[in-house]
Amino acid sequence: MVRTRVIPLAEQLLDTLGEQGYRSTSPRKAVTQAIAAKQGHFTAEQLRQQLPGVGRATIYRSLKLLVDSGALCRVLLEDGNLHYQLSHQGHHHHLLCVECGSSQDLLGCDIEDLLRQVSAAHRFQLSGHWLEVYGRCYDCLPKAATG
Ligand SMILES: [Zn+2]
Ligand SMILES: [Zn+2]
Ligand SMILES: [Zn+2]
């Protein structure tokens, strides 16, 4: 009998590491469980403080592999701090609020054509791009200005 079940996120992340040849061990399980429980974005340093028993190399290697496989995306805050966040889709950008730090995914990418033109004009071979959009989210707008 085939039983379908929802695979918990931590297990999916662990599978992703396994697919990249990174065998499952208890520190890696701790890392994927901590990441799966995150709401919003977090830093590698926060993860390290949360998991004092896990080595720095394991945390950074896991983060890198999960970014490379598309399970996590990197978020560069306006202050220069690099954060990570669970990613549920392919190529996308973020709308980052400079007041509350919230991040919204910006689906679709309308700048590919522009970048192709610009690259061609510079005889530059385009291999990818990374764009973050900074501003204030609707909740952080001064209400007087909107009404
Ligand atoms: Zn993202
Ligand atoms: Zn905000
Ligand atoms: Zn894009």
Side-chain angles (χ1 to χ4, degrees):
M1 193 175 92
V2 179
R3 270 196 318 150
T4 54
R5 69 182 181 108
V6 178
I7 301 170
L9 183 57
E11 226 171 279
Q12 286 179 38
L13 295 174
L14 204 58
D15 284 353
T16 304
L17 290 180
E19 281 159 18
Q20 312 239 5
Y22 208 42
R23 282 180 309 105
S24 124
T25 61
S26 55
R28 279 162 216 159
K29 273 184 199 146
V31 172
T32 52
Q33 269 160 16
I35 291 173
K38 293 284 183 200
Q39 307 280 337
H41 45 77
F42 57 91
T43 64
E45 196 49 44
Q46 284 165 353
L47 210 53
R48 282 187 63 196
Q49 282 167 11
Q50 194 186 333
L51 303 168
V54 178
R56 180 190 164 86
T58 299
I59 286 177
Y60 278 85
R61 179 114 180 95
S62 301
L63 287 172
K64 186 186 184 314
L65 289 174
L66 292 172
V67 168
D68 289 349
S69 67
L72 283 182
C73 55
R74 292 178 299 174
V75 180
L76 186 65
L77 297 196
E78 204 188 28
D79 61 12
N81 279 312
L82 185 65
H83 288 231
Y84 297 87
Q85 168 173 292
L86 287 163
S87 174
H88 303 290
Q89 54 250 330
H91 180 79
H92 64 279
H93 301 282
H94 304 120
L95 293 176
L96 297 169
C97 178
V98 297
E99 297 286 344
C100 70
S102 71
S103 160
Q104 297 174 53
D105 284 354
L106 191 56
L107 301 179
C109 179
D110 296 327
I111 62 169
E112 275 293 336
D113 287 344
L114 172 68
L115 292 176
R116 248 182 236 123
Q117 284 172 32
V118 170
S119 301
H122 290 265
R123 298 184 182 192
F124 180 83
Q125 190 185 50
L126 186 65
S127 62
H129 68 270
W130 189 23
L131 172 77
E132 307 284 30
V133 183
Y134 303 106
R136 282 174 182 79
C137 72
Y138 185 76
D139 289 342
C140 293
L141 284 177
K143 294 307 174 222
T146 59

